[in-house]
């Protein structure tokens, strides 16, 4: 694991240097998208309640998603706080918000008001169900969006309820990643037209988009509607996980014929007696492989298949992944600002990511507001109002 020195130095060689992104603190996908953009060099300013506890599931002081962000503390429900936020947003290239539809409009910070002040503003909206439609005002979380989008049903064995894939699919895959993609696309178009636009990014849309390959396979007849009978849902004995003798797991992904032969060779099985795509034999093959893998430890199987094309990997815990020497050689994980975390991705050759420290709630209120032209006494009043709002909030 690489320990990188903290730095708040501006890095003009980064891809998004000079791009200012503002977002009111939110859950799940928005802070993830903000992290991606900050990693690429954008100046990201988060609007927090002064003294806010955290984004979700952690304190802001421990959350790698806040790396490289500045923070201002404002009470958006007060006229002065909303006015300061409006001035900040008007100075930005991108506004990302994750509130329920209509909430920003009620604060006087909606896209019509903000884009009237700054026609070049990219106004990116992140919700679960989208800005329009019969579900727009309904509450939900990752699991609800992937359930309706058809992305949850195929996951897991047929004899068990669908497996919850953490919150990776809607929050981060179909949400934050698509939000960042939309922002980058809108910035590219603004470079040609000089005009920004509004992005309606919905987690249900992104989650459905992630199932595109399944729909292609259904159209070709190679994917059935019954759970646990298909190539990528655990039915195939050569594409699933197996428990080992030490109650760990290995993952097998030997899809191609040559890889499948390498798998069988390592297991001591004659390929001529083990047809790969005879689905009628898949259940008995799964049972046979389960018994074979259960006879050795995970480490023994990793050693058996090391350097082969069998596509067998040990299933690592997050802690084990961060300590993996081969991943360390690539610096997949870094230690920034005293916190172990995944390194920025993807990697750009001419504008690599740099270490950027985390900032606590409202840590940069004075500096940011001064940069907007606020006088000292105005800043003091806004800071005091934000602190009082925070103290009185649940």
């Amino acid at each position: 694991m690489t320990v990188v020195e903290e730095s708040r130095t501006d890095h003009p060689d980064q891809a998004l240097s000079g791009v200012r992104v503002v977002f009111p603190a939110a859950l799940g996908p928005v802070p993830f998208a903000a992290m991606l953009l900050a990693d690429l060099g954008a100046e990201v300013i988060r609007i927090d309640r002064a003294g806010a506890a955290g984004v979700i599931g952690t304190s802001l002081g421990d959350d790698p998603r806040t790396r490289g962000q500045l923070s201002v503390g404002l009470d958006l429900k007060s006229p002065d706080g909303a006015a300061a936020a409006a001035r900040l947003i008007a100075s930005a290239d991108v506004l990302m918000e994750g509130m329920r539809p209509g909430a920003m409009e009620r604060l006087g910070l909606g896209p019509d008001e903000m884009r009237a002040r700054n026609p070049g503003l990219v106004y990116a909206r992140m919700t679960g169900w989208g800005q329009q439609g019969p579900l727009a005002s309904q509450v939900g979380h990752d699991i609800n969006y992937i359930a309706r989008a058809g992305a949850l049903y195929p996951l897991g064995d047929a004899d068990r309820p669908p497996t919850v894939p953490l919150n990776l699919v809607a929050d981060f895959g179909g949400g934050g990643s698509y939000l960042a993609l939309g922002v980058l696309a809108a910035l590219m178009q603004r470079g040609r037209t000089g005009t920004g636009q509004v992005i309606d990014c919905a987690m249900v849309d992104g989650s459905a988009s992630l199932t595109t390959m399944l729909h292609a396979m259904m159209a070709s007849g190679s994917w059935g509607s019954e759970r646990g009978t298909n190539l990528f849902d655990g039915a195939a004995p050569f594409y699933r996980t197996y428990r080992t003798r030490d109650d760990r797991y290995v993952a097998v992904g030997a899809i191609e014929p040559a890889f499948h032969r390498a798998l069988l060779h390592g297991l001591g099985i004659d390929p001529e007696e083990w047809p790969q795509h005879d689905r009628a034999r898949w259940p008995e093959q799964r049972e046979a492989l389960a018994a074979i893998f259960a006879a050795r430890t995970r480490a023994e199987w990793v050693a058996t298949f090391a350097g082969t094309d069998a596509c067998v990997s040990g299933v690592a815990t997050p802690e084990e992944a961060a300590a993996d020497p081969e991943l360390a050689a690539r610096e997949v994980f870094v230690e920034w600002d005293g916190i172990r975390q995944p390194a920025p991705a993807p990697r750009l050759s001419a504008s690599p990511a740099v270490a950027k420290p985390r900032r606590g709630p409202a840590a940069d209120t004075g500096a940011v507001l001064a940069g907007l032209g606020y006088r000292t006494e105005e800043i003091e009043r806004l800071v005091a109002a934000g602190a009082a709002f925070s103290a009185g909030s649940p």
Side-chain angles (χ1 to χ4, degrees):
M1 186 186 306
T2 298
V3 179
V4 185
E5 293 297 324
E6 295 182 6
S7 173
R8 287 217 57 82
T9 304
D10 186 34
H11 297 273
D13 58 335
Q14 285 201 272
L16 294 183
S17 292
V19 174
R20 171 174 283 188
V21 178
V22 174
F23 76 99
L27 303 180
V30 175
F32 183 73
M35 180 195 76
L36 296 178
L37 298 175
D39 286 345
L40 293 171
E43 178 194 35
V44 177
I45 302 175
R46 186 180 69 248
I47 302 175
D48 282 316
R49 285 197 337 239
V55 178
I56 187 171
T58 182
S59 68
L60 282 171
D62 294 332
D63 194 336
R65 289 174 297 173
T66 67
R67 63 194 183 202
Q69 299 174 11
L70 302 175
S71 170
V72 298
L74 296 172
D75 174 9
L76 298 184
K77 295 183 179 180
S78 74
D80 287 344
R87 191 186 298 190
L88 176 59
I89 294 167
S91 76
D93 299 284
V94 179
L95 180 281
M96 299 192 303
E97 63 96 358
M99 298 185 184
R100 296 175 76 172
M104 288 293 279
E105 284 84 350
R106 289 190 291 274
L107 294 170
L109 303 174
D112 292 343
E113 295 92 339
M114 292 298 96
R115 295 188 66 240
R117 296 179 62 165
N118 177 6
L121 179 67
V122 173
Y123 197 108
R125 319 196 77 171
M126 180 80 254
T127 59
W129 307 107
Q131 295 296 317
Q132 293 86 32
L135 297 175
S137 62
Q138 184 171 319
V139 298
H141 282 295
D142 185 293
I143 193 170
N144 307 113
Y145 311 133
I146 64 175
R148 294 295 291 263
L152 178 59
Y153 179 81
L155 303 179
D157 292 334
D159 58 348
R160 298 180 182 179
T163 299
V164 179
L166 305 180
N167 60 333
L168 300 177
V169 177
D171 272 348
F172 304 132
S177 297
Y178 275 68
L179 180 61
L181 174 63
V183 165
L184 295 178
L187 287 173
M188 288 286 291
Q189 184 170 15
R190 191 188 70 171
R192 297 192 301 270
T193 66
T195 306
Q197 60 183 296
V198 179
I199 299 171
D200 179 359
C201 188
M203 282 179 270
V204 69
D205 296 349
S207 299
S209 178
L210 292 173
T211 68
T212 299
M213 186 189 71
L214 296 186
H215 286 268
M217 295 178 74
M218 287 188 288
S220 69
S222 59
W223 189 278
S225 59
E226 185 178 351
R227 293 181 65 242
T229 62
N230 298 288
L231 179 61
F232 296 125
D233 62 7
F238 51 85
Y239 199 87
R240 60 180 287 122
T241 58
Y242 293 95
R243 187 187 297 269
T244 57
R245 191 179 69 195
D246 53 347
D247 284 331
R248 300 299 184 90
Y249 299 90
V250 293
V252 177
I255 298 174
E256 292 80 359
F259 301 164
H260 188 250
R261 286 193 297 272
L263 169 68
L264 298 181
H265 176 75
L267 296 174
I269 297 173
D270 183 356
E272 298 300 322
E273 299 178 358
W274 197 279
Q276 182 176 7
H277 292 290
D278 183 351
R279 296 195 177 213
R281 293 191 59 182
W282 279 4
E284 67 178 82
Q285 290 177 348
R286 290 196 301 268
E287 291 184 12
L289 293 190
I292 293 172
F293 279 112
R296 297 185 188 179
T297 67
R298 183 186 66 177
E300 289 173 328
W301 285 119
V302 169
T304 296
F305 288 105
T308 74
D309 289 337
C311 298
V312 176
S313 304
V315 177
T317 66
E319 293 83 1
E320 289 172 330
D324 186 313
E326 294 178 340
L327 299 187
R330 182 173 163 78
E331 299 183 352
V332 174
F333 293 88
V334 294
E335 186 172 314
W336 283 6
D337 206 15
I339 298 291
R340 179 180 59 189
Q341 55 198 278
R347 306 179 186 201
L348 279 62
S349 63
S351 49
V354 295
K356 298 171 184 175
R358 302 177 310 281
R359 306 285 287 173
D364 307 286
T365 304
V368 171
L369 294 181
L372 296 174
Y374 277 88
R375 299 188 304 274
T376 301
E377 58 271 22
E378 294 175 311
I379 294 173
E380 291 175 349
R381 186 173 68 250
L382 284 166
V383 169
F389 168 70
S390 177
S393 299

